[in-house]
Amino acid sequence: MRTCNDPDDVTAWARSWRSEGARVGFVPTMGFLHRGHASLLDLAHARCDRVVVSIYVNPLQFGPSEDLDRYPRDPEGDLRLCAAHGVDLAFLPETLYPPGFSTRVRVEGLTSVLCGAARRGHFEGVTTVVARLFGIVGPCTSVFGEKDWQQYVVVRRMAEDLHPGVEVVAGPLVRDDDGLALSSRNRYLSAADRVRALSLHRALRAIRDSREPSVPALLEEGRSLLEVDRLDYIAIVDPWSLAPLERVDRPARALVAAFVGNTRLIDNVAVDPR
Ligand code: PAF
């Protein structure tokens, strides 16, 4: 496995692989990799001949009062996991914004709801860095986790608009044995908070498994099961437009975002029509 810090080296390697006819897969990450990321690398491998991973804690997607400074980092562990999952090139840039960089990429509409309403500017930071990374790597396929469902939908839109050659694929959400969605931020949770954090999945499971078609009734049941300190939202929406639904009469997505202690957690499940 190669490691690179310089964007030009990454561009050159990816270009040489593509010129040999290889399909280049790309998994962007912020590091502190876990089994969820490993499954994205495996998916990239299954679909492509070469796999590039980026490890970069993107300052643009953090708000002023968020956890940029204490975001967990473990570059050595990350590189071990990447090597064990057959990554060809790990890209660890010092920065992706050289002096003078002043472009922002914003997807309208999809980013004004759910996490976009709770975290102003977050998705602009995500689409700016992902567009920049797509420009550097030039992947055929890029893999994102379903755990950040809204991020996946927003990035798909951005790619269709600006990088139509990149196929954006979602990897299934990976959970711990107790049901907690894997996230680098889980390490902030105390033992007691971790128990309460399980209520997010419990609420979503109740919505998914119910036969009730009325969304207000389903959301009331979901809310009653949450043991959180602050609820940003719980919602049942169209999976692609993210528009709220009144009844689950077509495939839908139930999503939740809430603080347990000081840790903001998100989770989501697919909901079948009933
Ligand atoms: O999902 C993440 O880890 C980040 O939002 C991403 C896609 C790597 C962009 O910084």
Side-chain angles (χ1 to χ4, degrees):
M1 182 178 77
R2 290 187 176 79
T3 60
C4 290
N5 306 115
D6 185 340
D8 292 342
D9 292 341
V10 177
T11 303
W13 277 111
R15 187 179 294 136
S16 76
W17 290 329
R18 283 194 310 274
S19 71
E20 292 162 2
R23 285 186 58 82
V24 175
F26 174 50
V27 182
T29 80
M30 297 209 298
F32 209 68
L33 304 181
H34 49 64
R35 277 192 296 121
H37 296 107
S39 74
L40 305 183
L41 298 174
D42 293 344
L43 184 55
H45 247 299
R47 302 177 74 105
C48 299
D49 309 299
R50 299 283 190 171
V51 174
V52 178
V53 64
S54 64
I55 299 175
Y56 178 65
V57 181
N58 172 34
L60 280 191
Q61 68 189 75
F62 289 79
S65 59
E66 295 185 345
D67 56 345
L68 173 61
D69 292 339
R70 64 187 186 115
Y71 196 83
R73 292 161 210 246
D74 177 16
E76 282 163 21
D78 290 346
L79 291 178
R80 275 197 301 276
L81 183 139
C82 289
H85 287 267
V87 167
D88 294 279
L89 193 162
F91 176 36
L92 297 91
E94 309 235 312
T95 179
L96 286 170
Y97 310 114
F101 187 97
S102 25
T103 299
R104 297 290 180 273
V105 176
R106 189 175 71 240
V107 171
E108 304 279 0
L110 292 171
T111 59
S112 61
V113 296
L114 306 172
C115 284
R119 300 180 72 191
R120 295 268 168 212
H122 167 69
F123 285 117
E124 184 174 302
V126 171
T127 42
T128 299
V129 79
V130 173
R132 171 116 176 83
L133 286 162
F134 282 3
I136 293 168
V137 178
C140 307
T141 298
S142 186
V143 184
F144 290 77
E146 268 190 11
K147 188 188 141 252
D148 289 292
W149 179 265
Q150 186 176 11
Q151 170 173 279
Y152 162 59
V153 174
V154 167
V155 168
R156 253 173 58 121
R157 180 72 258 162
M158 183 279 288
E160 274 172 34
D161 293 345
L162 299 183
H163 289 277
V166 183
E167 172 198 37
V168 176
V169 170
L173 192 155
V174 180
R175 297 183 182 280
D176 257 333
D177 291 344
D178 57 9
L180 189 65
L182 291 189
S183 162
S184 305
R185 289 190 169 100
N186 290 351
R187 66 124 47 186
Y188 300 148
L189 294 167
S190 68
D193 283 349
R194 195 188 153 93
V195 172
R196 291 193 299 136
L198 298 176
S199 68
L200 272 70
H201 186 217
R202 199 174 308 129
L204 293 177
R205 264 196 340 249
I207 290 172
R208 185 195 62 197
D209 297 342
S210 166
R211 298 182 63 79
E212 170 66 56
S214 152
V215 166
L218 286 166
L219 293 180
E220 194 180 320
E221 182 177 3
R223 259 186 230 107
S224 73
L225 294 169
L226 288 171
E227 294 170 45
V228 299
D229 294 302
R230 193 180 103 203
L231 178 62
D232 268 354
Y233 62 80
I234 181 163
I236 300 174
V237 301
D238 177 273
W240 304 112
S241 71
L242 306 180
L245 300 177
E246 274 304 307
R247 295 177 70 75
V248 186
D249 49 11
R250 62 189 119 144
R253 205 90 196 172
L255 305 99
V256 63
F259 282 85
V260 177
N262 292 324
T263 307
R264 187 174 188 275
L265 300 170
I266 56 174
D267 200 344
N268 71 86
V269 294
V271 182
D272 291 331
R274 58 253 354 227

